[in-house]
């Protein structure tokens, strides 16, 4: 399944309990084997004499210290927010000097209201407080209502459409999923992601009138074992016994994470069933932890259970014969592909950065088409570089995703909706806007009689993900995005990716048009003769340059350290597209 350059997946069911009183160890390099029996006092030992991270950095010519005179034992540099004189930006997690009022990277105010209002919060101003002094503030806070309370009080699930003519969107969310957290650290997959999304939906009026909630419940063992092994489910469950557990250097679980994962999967099960039985027109699962990297027996890439895969099986139990899963997360959903690789009843289409296997997780090359009876039912559309934006995504949807999907004729469509390809994401490095996500959602809503389930995956810039989620929700509730322009042209990188998919999947899907294939070939030939081989991609300066070489969290931490080392306090870099 994995390409030769792919980062090896973590060994299945390898657990490392850590007590909260002891700082977690520095993460190991990608693919490092770690003994399931953790050494005393929560420290991890490595089989070889040299720390695997040191070998990795040396191989790529990276100086981990950045300063030969610096004390190499200073662990605080690995966790910038532990410094008393630094604060981590709520929006993008970048560490900032204490004297800064706004984030030097994304310009978000130190005390912005993004968690309460999402993208609707004013970027460069603190959260507003009512006039009238301390008593007025206390009174206003007493009257504040959480997103979950609004849903439970005003949008009660009735089991049927709440109004006859309007389409109704079922929304799944539970505040207990916020308990999944790497305590005391700034992990990119953090509870604030859901807070910002729900805050944005609430502030923009999308939680009333056009949607209703379903009661959250935990997925059962049997439901999880529709896609995972019993050993996998038991391994996740066992983390409830420890304060903090690491499956891989980038994938953690605290004592509440198993509950959060069961809730996330259970919400997806019930949303899929509600859509298939006509109790909802479509649905949005605002959930975490994400799931598309989780394989049948492997936890990895921030993911514990594969929520979209569980939803697909639930839909089939509710009557769907064929299920389409479209994964637009910037990372390939290796877990979803592995689970359905030999299954012709589930078509998996993934649009992602790949870079010849150098971008996490390294899987998802165009020639991986499924196997056995499932051959041809896995369609990978791999980008060769960063900076890919709306035009290429929309052209891929128009000329590849939609023709194949229409020929497949799914009974329900599930979107693995990671928003880390969004403009401004600190890890994804692509350039998709909320309008782009709305357009893609609108296209997919024309399939399956409108039976569409959106399942949240990644996305780590709070302003980007809240705006993107709101754009998707508007489409689910019946709004139409602006018409596509007639003059869309792909970038050279986009055209090359599309051409590769045409060459691979033309024999499986007759709806792929020869005329488009010839046009792409002619475009590439023209650019080649004109010396325009380099893609006119948007320069991405907001993401980690080491990202494509390994695991998510490990290299994210290295990048954070570098950002602070080379940052002058007076500098304001407005390269974040959300500014």
């Amino acid at each position: 399944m994995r390409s030769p350059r792919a980062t090896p997946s973590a060994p299945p069911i390898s657990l490392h309990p850590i007590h909260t009183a002891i700082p977690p160890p520095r993460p190991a390099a990608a693919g490092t084997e770690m003994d399931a029996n953790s050494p005393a006092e929560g420290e991890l030992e490595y089989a070889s004499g040299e720390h695997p991270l040191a070998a990795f950095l040396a191989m790529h010519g990276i100086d981990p210290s950045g300063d030969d005179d610096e004390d190499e034992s200073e662990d605080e540099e690995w966790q910038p927010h532990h410094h008393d004189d630094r604060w981590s930006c709520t929006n993008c997690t970048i560490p900032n000097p204490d004297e800064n009022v706004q984030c030097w990277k994304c310009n978000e105010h130190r005390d912005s209201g993004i968690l309460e209002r999402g993208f609707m919060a004013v970027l460069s101003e603190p959260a507003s407080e009512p006039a009238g002094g301390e008593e007025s503030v206390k009174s206003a806070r007493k009257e504040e209502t959480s997103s979950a309370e609004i849903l439970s009080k005003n949008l009660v699930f009735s089991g049927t459409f709440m109004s006859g003519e309007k389409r109704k969107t079922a929304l799944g969310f539970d505040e207990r999923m916020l308990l999944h957290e790497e305590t005391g650290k700034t992990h990119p997959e953090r509870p604030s992601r859901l807070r910002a999304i729900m805050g944005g939906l609430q502030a923009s009026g999308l939680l009333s009138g056009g949607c209703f909630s379903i009661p959250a419940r935990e997925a059962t063992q049997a439901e999880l074992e529709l896609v995972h092994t019993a050993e996998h489910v038991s391994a996740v469950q066992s983390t409830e016994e420890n304060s903090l557990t690491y499956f891989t250097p980038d994938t953690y679980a605290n004592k509440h994470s198993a509950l959060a994962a069961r809730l996330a999967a259970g919400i997806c099960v019930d949303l899929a069933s509600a859509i298939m039985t006509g109790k909802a027109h479509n649905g949005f699962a605002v959930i975490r932890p994400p799931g598309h990297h989780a394989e049948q027996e492997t936890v990895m890439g921030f993911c514990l259970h594969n929520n979209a895969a569980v939803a697909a099986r639930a839909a089939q139990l509710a009557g769907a014969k064929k299920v389409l899963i479209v994964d637009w997360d910037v990372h390939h959903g290796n877990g979803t592909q592995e689970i359905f690789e030999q299954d012709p009843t589930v078509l998996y289409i993934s649009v992602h950065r790949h870079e010849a296997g150098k971008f996490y997780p390294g899987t998802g090359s165009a020639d991986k088409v499924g196997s056995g009876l499932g051959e041809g039912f896995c369609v990978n559309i791999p980008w060769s570089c960063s900076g890919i934006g709306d035009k290429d995504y929309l052209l891929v949807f128009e000329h590849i995703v939609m023709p194949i999907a229409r020929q497949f004729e799914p009974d329900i469509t599930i979107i693995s909706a990671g928003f880390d390809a969004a403009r401004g994401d600190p890890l994804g490095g692509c350039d998709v806007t909320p309008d782009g996500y709305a357009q893609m959602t609108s296209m997919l809503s024309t399939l399956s009689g409108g039976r569409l389930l959106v399942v949240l995956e990644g996305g780590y810039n709070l302003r980007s993900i809240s705006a993107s989620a709101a754009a998707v929700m508007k489409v689910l509730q019946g709004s139409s995005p602006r018409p596509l322009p007639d003059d869309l042209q792909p970038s050279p990188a986009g055209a090359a990716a599309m051409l590769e998919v045409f060459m691979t999947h033309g024999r499986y899907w007759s709806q792929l048009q020869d005329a488009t294939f010839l046009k792409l070939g002619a475009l590439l030939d023209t650019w080649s003769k004109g010396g325009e081989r380099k893609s006119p991609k948007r320069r991405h300066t907001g993401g980690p340059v080491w990202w494509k070489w390994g695991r998510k969290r490990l290299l994210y931490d290295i990048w954070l350290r570098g950002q602070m080392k080379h940052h002058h306090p007076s500098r304001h870099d407005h390269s974040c597209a959300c500014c």
Side-chain angles (χ1 to χ4, degrees):
M1 278 283 296
R2 298 185 185 279
S3 63
R5 294 188 182 182
T7 302
S9 64
I13 322 305
S14 179
L15 306 178
H16 309 279
I18 305 294
H19 299 293
T20 54
I22 300 171
R26 291 182 179 179
T32 300
E33 293 282 338
M34 295 189 288
D35 187 1
N37 298 315
S38 299
E41 300 193 345
E43 296 182 356
L44 297 185
E45 295 177 349
Y46 299 93
S48 63
E50 183 179 23
H51 191 297
L53 175 60
F56 170 83
L57 296 177
M59 179 174 65
H60 293 288
I62 305 169
D63 180 5
S65 68
D67 185 348
D68 293 337
D69 297 328
E70 184 179 3
D71 182 1
E72 296 180 359
S73 66
E74 187 179 14
D75 288 339
E76 289 87 353
E77 283 295 316
W78 286 78
Q79 303 300 331
H81 63 285
H82 284 175
H83 283 271
D84 293 335
D85 60 345
R86 295 181 186 175
W87 56 275
S88 293
C89 176
T90 304
N91 178 52
C92 69
T93 75
I94 293 295
N96 286 266
D98 188 59
E99 60 268 22
N100 281 22
V101 176
Q102 294 174 228
C103 176
W104 66 268
K105 175 59 69 174
C106 72
N107 213 34
E108 191 78 29
H109 195 279
R110 179 174 186 165
D111 299 315
S112 82
I114 193 167
L115 296 185
E116 293 76 29
R117 296 180 56 80
F119 70 100
M120 298 288 287
V122 179
L123 174 71
S124 57
E125 296 180 7
S128 60
E129 293 185 347
E134 187 175 346
E135 291 304 316
S136 296
V137 172
K138 289 181 179 179
S139 175
R141 286 175 179 170
K142 187 178 293 185
E143 293 176 2
E144 285 180 355
T145 306
S146 71
S147 302
E149 289 172 327
I150 285 180
L151 286 170
S152 63
K153 290 179 180 178
N154 301 330
L155 304 169
V156 180
F157 178 71
S158 64
T160 59
F161 289 114
M162 293 180 67
S163 60
E165 301 265 331
K166 289 184 179 180
R167 65 163 52 181
K168 279 295 172 179
T169 298
L171 186 141
F173 170 74
D174 192 287
E175 284 190 327
R176 288 173 289 175
M177 291 183 290
L178 304 178
L179 298 174
H180 170 61
E181 182 176 13
E182 190 181 26
T183 310
K185 299 167 75 71
T186 307
H187 195 289
E189 205 295 283
R190 58 206 191 276
S192 299
R193 298 175 62 239
L194 295 197
R195 291 192 181 101
I197 289 174
M198 294 301 292
L201 294 178
Q202 178 181 330
S204 55
L206 292 171
L207 291 185
S208 59
C211 75
F212 65 99
S213 70
I214 62 168
R217 69 164 179 89
E218 301 171 40
T220 65
Q221 178 94 6
E223 288 168 338
L224 294 173
E225 288 183 15
L226 291 172
V227 300
H228 295 296
T229 63
E231 292 77 14
H232 172 101
V233 177
S234 296
V236 175
Q237 182 72 17
S238 69
T239 62
E240 293 181 325
E241 302 170 3
N242 303 303
S243 298
L244 196 58
T245 300
Y246 286 90
F247 287 93
T248 70
D250 65 359
T251 308
Y252 68 90
N254 66 15
K255 62 183 180 180
H256 304 293
S257 298
L259 169 63
R262 292 193 302 272
L263 285 167
I267 286 170
C268 290
V269 168
D270 287 350
L271 284 174
S273 299
I275 293 168
M276 284 306 304
T277 56
K279 296 176 181 177
H281 189 80
N282 52 43
F284 196 159
V286 183
I287 57 172
R288 61 182 294 273
H292 72 150
H293 291 309
E295 299 179 344
Q296 294 181 66
E297 58 178 3
T298 303
V299 173
M300 61 182 288
F302 309 169
C303 302
L304 302 186
H305 299 317
N306 196 311
N307 304 308
V310 173
R313 289 302 187 213
Q316 291 181 323
L317 290 175
K321 293 182 179 179
K322 294 187 290 184
V323 178
L324 167 64
I325 300 177
V326 176
D327 189 339
W328 68 41
D329 190 284
V330 78
H331 308 98
H332 177 244
N334 56 289
T336 310
Q337 177 171 319
E338 186 234 20
I339 289 168
F340 298 116
E341 184 181 28
Q342 300 184 48
D343 188 345
T345 69
V346 178
L347 170 62
Y348 177 64
I349 303 178
S350 178
V351 188
H352 53 272
R353 275 182 69 180
H354 185 250
E355 301 184 16
K358 295 179 182 179
F359 192 76
Y360 187 91
T363 55
S365 57
D367 62 342
K368 302 302 180 183
V369 299
S371 61
L373 294 176
E375 183 176 345
F377 291 90
C378 176
V379 181
N380 286 310
I381 305 167
W383 304 130
S384 62
C385 62
S386 64
I388 303 295
D390 287 356
K391 289 183 179 180
D392 286 312
Y393 272 86
L394 296 179
L395 284 167
V396 156
F397 266 67
E398 183 179 1
H399 295 295
I400 295 178
V401 175
M402 294 305 296
I404 292 176
R406 283 191 288 264
Q407 185 174 342
F408 181 65
E409 296 182 326
D411 297 303
I412 185 173
T413 299
I414 297 171
I415 304 176
S416 269
F419 295 117
D420 43 5
R423 180 178 294 177
D425 190 89
L427 299 183
C430 285
D431 198 30
V432 182
T433 68
D435 282 345
Y437 286 117
Q439 293 283 1
M440 292 186 283
T441 305
S442 181
M443 290 189 214
L444 294 175
S445 68
T446 64
L447 303 168
S448 312
R451 291 182 290 274
L452 178 63
L453 172 58
V454 179
V455 177
L456 182 65
E457 296 287 357
Y460 309 104
N461 179 302
L462 302 191
R463 195 166 285 274
S464 295
I465 64 173
S466 61
S468 300
V472 168
M473 178 64 93
K474 287 179 182 177
V475 174
L476 294 179
Q477 294 184 10
S479 297
S480 298
R482 288 173 290 185
L484 286 174
D486 296 327
D487 58 347
L488 282 179
Q489 286 286 334
S491 67
M498 292 174 66
L499 191 63
E500 184 180 16
V501 175
F502 269 96
M503 295 173 65
T504 303
H505 281 276
R507 56 181 171 150
Y508 301 114
W509 303 100
S510 61
Q511 292 301 306
L512 293 178
Q513 298 296 318
D514 289 340
T516 304
F517 175 88
L518 294 173
K519 181 179 179 181
L520 290 170
L523 276 174
L524 286 172
D525 186 57
T526 300
W527 287 326
S528 176
K529 290 178 180 178
E532 298 181 22
R533 289 184 175 272
K534 189 173 182 179
S535 171
K537 61 186 180 182
R538 174 181 179 271
R539 183 171 180 261
H540 176 74
T541 59
V545 295
W546 318 124
W547 165 260
K548 60 185 180 181
W549 285 323
R551 294 192 179 280
K552 293 183 176 181
R553 173 60 191 276
L554 168 63
L555 301 176
Y556 177 78
D557 282 348
I558 297 173
W559 173 62
L560 281 178
R561 177 181 179 174
Q563 292 288 318
M564 283 305 299
K565 275 195 172 296
H566 301 293
H567 168 61
H568 189 275
S570 63
R571 174 187 167 199
H572 282 267
D573 186 338
H574 296 283
S575 59
C576 173
C578 291
C579 300

